[in-house]
């Protein structure tokens, strides 16, 4: 249900750092509100302070909300904390594959409009370094997507470690090829 933003009461919040609100506002502008905020029947905010702040920054007067009834103050705090704590962030592997997939989607859409979508554009869009985006898209995503699954890459602690594994493999392949050529030349 849509509720007037002006009626929402923002009490003490557990989250101190709201993160990149302009980035979230951009997402709200492009894709709309994906997840509802949560309020009590008397319009006290339970969850969704970042979404609410981003919507306010866009000048929205209403926002989609889930209204919860009969909650104690402790229950409200518990819900707010669980929403943040129990949320599972993506692994670096999932972020890598998602970045590559989003890049392909954006590139196709840009081409359809006679435009281009580059690594620079993607880096700016995601707020990541160009080198990280390039490694995700051109190196790691392909290696992670190969079947059967490369367990060594999937077990890597981070993308830097995975890049090291791939570089070592490439170095070993080059060394083996050079040795093979030496053996052919000796014969």
């Amino acid at each position: 249900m849509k509720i007037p933003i002006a009626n929402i009461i923002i009490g003490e919040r557990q989250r101190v750092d709201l993160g990149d609100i302009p980035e979230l506002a951009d997402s709200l502008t492009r894709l709309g509100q994906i997840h509802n905020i949560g309020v009590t029947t008397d319009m006290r905010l339970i969850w969704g302070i970042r979404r609410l702040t981003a919507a306010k920054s866009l000048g929205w007067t209403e926002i989609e909300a889930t209204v919860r009834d009969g909650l104690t103050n402790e229950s409200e705090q518990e819900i707010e904390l669980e929403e943040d704590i129990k949320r599972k962030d993506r692994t670096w592997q999932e972020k890598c594959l998602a970045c590559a997939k989003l890049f392909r989607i954006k590139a196709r859409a840009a081409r359809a409009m006679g435009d281009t979508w580059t690594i620079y554009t993607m880096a700016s869009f995601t707020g990541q370094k160009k080198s990280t985006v390039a490694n995700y898209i051109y190196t790691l995503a392909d290696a992670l997507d190969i079947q059967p699954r490369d367990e060594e890459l999937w077990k890597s602690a981070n993308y830097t470690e995975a890049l090291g594994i791939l570089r070592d493999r490439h170095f070993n392949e080059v060394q083996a090829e050079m040795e093979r050529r030496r053996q052919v030349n000796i014969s």
Side-chain angles (χ1 to χ4, degrees):
M1 97 190 312
K2 282 201 178 221
I3 61 171
I5 288 177
N7 293 354
I8 299 170
I9 302 162
I10 302 172
E12 183 180 331
R13 309 307 308 156
Q14 301 298 318
R15 183 185 287 276
V16 177
D17 180 2
L18 296 185
D20 191 351
I21 295 299
E23 186 175 300
L24 181 55
D26 176 62
S27 176
L28 287 174
T29 300
R30 288 182 301 101
L31 304 174
Q33 184 181 348
I34 299 169
H35 299 288
N36 288 359
I37 66 165
V39 296
T40 60
T41 52
D42 60 351
M43 295 296 132
R44 286 189 327 274
L45 182 68
I46 304 171
W47 71 83
I49 185 66
R50 293 187 72 244
R51 279 163 275 171
L52 179 61
T53 304
K56 282 181 173 182
S57 77
L58 293 169
W60 289 13
T61 58
E62 293 184 319
I63 192 165
E64 290 287 341
T66 300
V67 180
R68 298 289 297 263
D69 190 19
L71 298 175
T72 65
N73 187 28
E74 283 185 345
S75 295
E76 291 174 25
Q77 289 179 29
E78 182 181 0
I79 291 169
E80 177 191 3
L81 292 168
E82 286 234 7
E83 188 201 25
D84 284 340
I85 293 169
K86 299 289 174 114
R87 174 181 25 234
K88 183 181 181 307
D89 289 334
R90 290 178 183 256
T91 64
W92 74 263
Q93 295 92 335
E94 292 167 333
K95 287 178 185 175
C96 174
L97 292 168
C99 183
K101 188 173 189 174
L102 183 59
F103 179 79
R104 289 189 299 272
I105 290 168
K106 292 288 198 181
R108 275 193 304 272
R111 272 194 309 275
M113 296 177 62
D115 205 352
T116 58
W117 187 265
T118 66
I119 291 295
Y120 294 102
T121 313
M122 187 69 176
S124 176
F125 180 75
T126 62
Q128 296 175 307
K129 290 192 257 179
K130 181 187 85 62
S131 60
T132 300
V133 171
N135 282 327
Y136 274 2
I137 293 169
Y138 295 126
T139 305
L140 292 168
D142 287 342
L144 289 169
D145 214 14
I146 291 173
Q147 295 299 325
R149 192 165 127 156
D150 186 331
E151 290 300 326
E152 187 178 16
L153 288 182
W154 279 91
K155 288 180 181 176
S156 300
N158 54 51
Y159 95 102
T160 304
E161 183 179 309
L163 283 173
I165 291 168
L166 292 176
R167 286 187 188 114
D168 289 348
R169 287 179 185 169
H170 180 71
F171 177 78
N172 291 338
E173 289 170 6
V174 169
Q175 291 294 90
E177 177 61 19
M178 288 173 59
E179 180 59 29
R180 186 191 68 74
R181 289 179 184 183
R182 266 187 286 226
Q183 293 300 322
V184 169
N185 289 337
I186 293 173
S187 303

